[in-house]
Amino acid sequence: MLVAVNEAEQIINLLEFSKSDLTELVGQFLRCPACKSQVRLKNGHVKMPHFAHVNLAACQYYSENESLQHLTLKKRLYHWFKQTEQVKIEHFLPELQQTPDLLVNETIAIEIQCSHLSIQRLRERTETYRAHGYTVLWLMGKDLWLGQHLTQLKQQLLYLTQNAGFYYWELDLQREKIRLNYLCHEDLIGRLHYLQREFSFDVGNLLEVLRTPFAASSAKLTDQLSQDIPAFIRSQLYYQNPKWLKIQEKYYQNGQNLMTFKNFPIKLYPIGLNLLTHQFEGVVEPAFCQITSDISRYYHHFLAYPQDDGVYPPGFYARAETGDGDCKS
């Protein structure tokens, strides 16, 4: 943790202290802002200076095992936000019993997630922020970068806008970049496809960078698949993959055989769309932790549009459905 409370009830923010000024804190009685138990300054040679509880079991609101990556990213984003916004680091919110990594303009909670957490815990924290009127943005460290396959946890960290589609934020400390993965789609073999934009640390307004997914866009993700889909499905059924056996069962129940399909007209599709079974059970909207809008409309518009060599943001398909203007302009 990077903040503590002194005996005068003042917040001590280590990011506002130079290395030489840290001697001022030696010998002071300092407490955790949340649990009020004693903390001490750790100023070694491996990690950056931070506070640690004297009693490791005393607090449930601050982590005692933050990685150097996590601490450094908090520091970098704090100073970047501070150029243009009001920002607090590790500000305990008593009405929520939660401590965001950064609180921007009193309403935006920034959570820098560098390690795995349970989906239940992610959902609890997200819904608590939302219930109290806060916007929460989850920015992912290296161990949670999106990669080529979507885990259940990563699916719950996706956001959605009409102009960017499904998107996902990454922080690259080594290259000093914040990265936006957007227009995220899957193919039938479960591989992810998306576009990327990178922004250098400390360049421009960070809050405006985080608003990028809401900006008007003419983005298109081009289909570049070479996988033999029927052969892939045959192999999955041969090796009795539970996912594909369940899909095949659905086809049998409706008097059809999945393997009679020779060409699949849709090669990329929005995440969460039950592409191979929607004709039997309709469009089933999955639960997304960070998304509260009606995603089923996006899915319906996507399915109604004649497929070409690429995919587009949700707004494109909505305009195509209503005939509102030239969608490909």
Side-chain angles (χ1 to χ4, degrees):
M1 55 191 291
L2 297 172
V3 296
V5 177
N6 65 15
E7 293 181 277
E9 296 298 321
Q10 298 170 322
I11 293 290
I12 304 298
N13 178 353
L14 287 178
L15 299 187
E16 300 298 338
F17 280 73
S18 66
K19 191 76 171 177
S20 59
D21 290 338
L22 291 178
T23 55
E24 298 178 16
L25 302 178
V26 177
Q28 291 191 32
F29 183 82
L30 302 170
R31 293 178 291 113
C32 169
C35 71
K36 307 304 181 182
S37 63
Q38 185 179 2
V39 298
R40 62 165 60 97
L41 177 65
K42 298 283 189 177
N43 188 16
H45 299 291
V46 178
K47 281 189 178 182
M48 59 185 285
H50 63 283
F51 295 114
H53 288 78
V54 173
N55 179 357
L56 295 180
C59 187
Q60 60 177 316
Y61 307 109
Y62 286 88
S63 172
E64 291 291 347
N65 298 304
E66 290 181 277
S67 66
L68 179 59
Q69 177 192 199
H70 193 189
L71 289 168
T72 306
L73 284 170
K74 279 198 287 189
K75 175 181 178 180
R76 295 299 301 272
L77 296 193
Y78 171 82
H79 287 298
W80 190 0
F81 271 122
K82 194 178 175 183
Q83 295 176 16
T84 56
E85 315 300 326
Q86 179 187 0
V87 58
K88 298 175 182 177
I89 191 162
E90 298 176 354
H91 180 69
F92 179 61
L93 301 171
E95 70 276 22
L96 282 70
Q97 296 291 288
Q98 292 185 175
T99 306
D101 287 322
L102 300 168
L103 182 64
V104 180
N105 296 336
E106 302 293 346
T107 60
I108 303 171
I110 302 294
E111 292 285 6
I112 301 167
Q113 194 63 35
C114 294
S115 59
H116 292 265
L117 76 166
S118 71
I119 292 176
Q120 179 181 350
R121 182 59 178 148
L122 172 65
R123 186 172 297 279
E124 288 172 352
R125 288 183 64 82
T126 296
E127 292 179 352
T128 299
Y129 281 126
R130 191 179 295 140
H132 288 82
Y134 292 90
T135 298
V136 58
L137 291 177
W138 295 85
L139 312 179
M140 270 55 76
K142 187 174 182 179
D143 285 351
L144 289 175
W145 288 354
L146 197 53
Q148 291 189 327
H149 297 281
L150 193 67
T151 65
Q152 291 183 342
L153 174 60
K154 291 176 183 177
Q155 180 168 315
Q156 300 306 315
L157 290 162
L158 287 166
Y159 293 88
L160 178 74
T161 65
Q162 289 295 297
N163 294 319
F166 287 103
Y167 67 93
Y168 189 95
W169 287 107
E170 296 175 350
L171 295 170
D172 189 335
L173 181 59
Q174 182 177 4
R175 297 180 59 240
E176 299 188 320
K177 303 281 188 181
I178 181 170
R179 188 160 47 243
L180 172 65
N181 300 320
Y182 66 106
L183 211 56
C184 298
H185 286 70
E186 286 184 294
D187 61 29
L188 285 173
I189 69 173
R191 184 179 294 120
L192 282 169
H193 301 260
Y194 45 88
L195 300 175
Q196 285 188 338
R197 285 189 65 183
E198 288 188 329
F199 306 86
S200 297
F201 283 6
D202 303 317
V203 176
N205 183 312
L206 179 51
L207 193 55
E208 288 303 314
V209 168
L210 295 173
R211 288 172 176 156
T212 301
F214 296 89
S217 170
S218 57
K220 175 183 178 180
L221 178 61
T222 304
D223 169 16
Q224 297 179 335
L225 303 180
S226 59
Q227 177 77 29
D228 184 340
I229 299 299
F232 171 80
I233 296 176
R234 280 196 300 273
S235 70
Q236 297 304 300
L237 294 175
Y238 177 81
Y239 289 107
Q240 298 188 325
N241 181 303
K243 169 188 171 181
W244 289 96
L245 288 175
K246 186 176 181 180
I247 293 173
Q248 177 73 303
E249 181 183 5
K250 184 69 67 173
Y251 275 72
Y252 285 155
Q253 291 171 351
N254 287 274
Q256 299 185 38
N257 186 340
L258 180 60
M259 293 316 303
T260 61
F261 285 83
K262 299 299 182 183
N263 295 303
F264 291 89
I266 299 177
K267 296 182 176 64
L268 293 179
Y269 57 95
I271 290 166
L273 175 62
N274 51 334
L275 182 62
L276 293 173
T277 58
H278 72 88
Q279 65 267 42
F280 308 128
E281 56 193 16
V283 171
V284 179
E285 184 175 350
F288 288 94
C289 186
Q290 310 305 320
I291 304 169
T292 58
S293 58
D294 180 7
I295 303 177
S296 63
R297 296 179 60 190
Y298 171 26
Y299 295 155
H300 284 296
H301 291 156
F302 173 85
L303 291 168
Y305 186 79
Q307 299 302 307
D308 56 27
D309 64 342
V311 289
Y312 306 88
F316 171 91
Y317 297 107
R319 292 191 297 272
E321 185 76 2
T322 59
D324 184 12
D326 183 0
C327 293
K328 292 191 177 183
S329 62

